[in-house]
Amino acid sequence: RRLGGKDFAKRDRSGAERNADMKSLGEYLGGRLIVDTGDITEFSGGGIVNAANSGLLGGGGVDGAIHRAAGPSLLAECKALRAGPLPGGLPAGKAVATGAGRLGVAHVIHTVGPVWKGGGQGEPELLASCYRESLVLPITGVYGYPKHLADQVVFDTISRYVLVNDAPSYIHLVFFSEPDARLFMATSGILGVS
């Protein structure tokens, strides 16, 4: 089957399709958390989370890749948010959903991670808020948040969320590189645990 111009090799038990380059490294939290590596712009499912900048108008890294892959309709929706309910941009720790343009998902959830300032400026709380808000509707990258510290906040936030909420049924964390995914699994204590 082709989706968005890509050949997709399989559908996993969550119903998400992934291309042949997407690799699953394991399932955790009763199968509700799935750790994958690959290109998030090629993921197919309900939605993806964009580590956006507060301006919501695209940028570098994952944010820019998502905007390029989604096409002009994503930028148009983001501009409408800036012209309407978010004239000052999206604050750190908050999330907002848009359509996904040409992507193989229904929605892009944009969230703005905190800029790392040493850990004493509320960064862990803001990062946890990004994940909570995104789950109700990954974030290291250019903002400099140390991966090993972010990994524990992410896993703790997701763990607490799935214990008390039935939806979403499955959460895919898609890492661009396998070393980053393995660092997440080691830091969160799930490496070698299914």
Side-chain angles (χ1 to χ4, degrees):
R1 175 172 174 202
R2 288 183 66 79
L3 184 61
K6 302 290 180 185
D7 288 310
F8 285 83
K10 62 183 177 179
R11 182 180 295 273
D12 70 17
R13 70 184 210 124
S14 74
E17 289 185 0
R18 24 178 116 81
N19 71 22
D21 295 330
M22 186 80 61
K23 178 180 178 183
S24 181
L25 298 181
E27 297 181 11
Y28 308 94
L29 302 175
R32 290 187 63 197
L33 173 63
I34 301 164
V35 177
D36 296 326
T37 60
D39 183 345
I40 196 170
T41 66
E42 296 179 0
F43 183 80
S44 176
I48 60 173
V49 177
N50 177 19
N53 62 52
S54 62
L56 296 175
L57 302 179
V62 173
D63 187 22
I66 289 171
H67 272 266
R68 285 188 299 277
S73 65
L74 179 60
L75 181 58
E77 283 193 59
C78 289
K79 284 182 176 180
L81 286 169
R82 290 298 307 274
L86 297 170
L90 185 64
K94 298 296 182 184
V96 64
T98 63
R102 297 186 302 235
L103 296 171
V105 295
H107 302 283
V108 174
I109 300 166
H110 308 267
T111 190
V112 179
V115 174
W116 181 253
K117 297 176 183 171
Q121 306 282 322
E123 297 97 327
E125 294 81 7
L126 285 171
L127 183 62
S129 178
C130 289
Y131 280 84
R132 275 192 309 275
E133 293 233 350
S134 295
L135 287 166
V136 170
L137 285 173
I139 307 244
T140 55
V142 298
Y143 297 107
Y145 205 114
K147 291 177 184 177
H148 69 285
L149 297 176
D151 290 344
Q152 193 61 55
V153 172
V154 170
F155 184 73
D156 290 347
T157 302
I158 291 172
S159 297
R160 282 196 282 283
Y161 186 88
V162 301
L163 286 174
V164 297
N165 295 282
D166 293 331
S169 299
Y170 300 96
I171 300 164
H172 287 260
L173 289 181
V174 180
F175 294 85
F176 185 72
S177 74
E178 189 166 330
D180 283 346
R182 294 207 178 276
L183 175 64
F184 168 80
M185 294 186 301
T187 301
S188 61
I190 60 174
L191 188 60
V193 177
S194 293

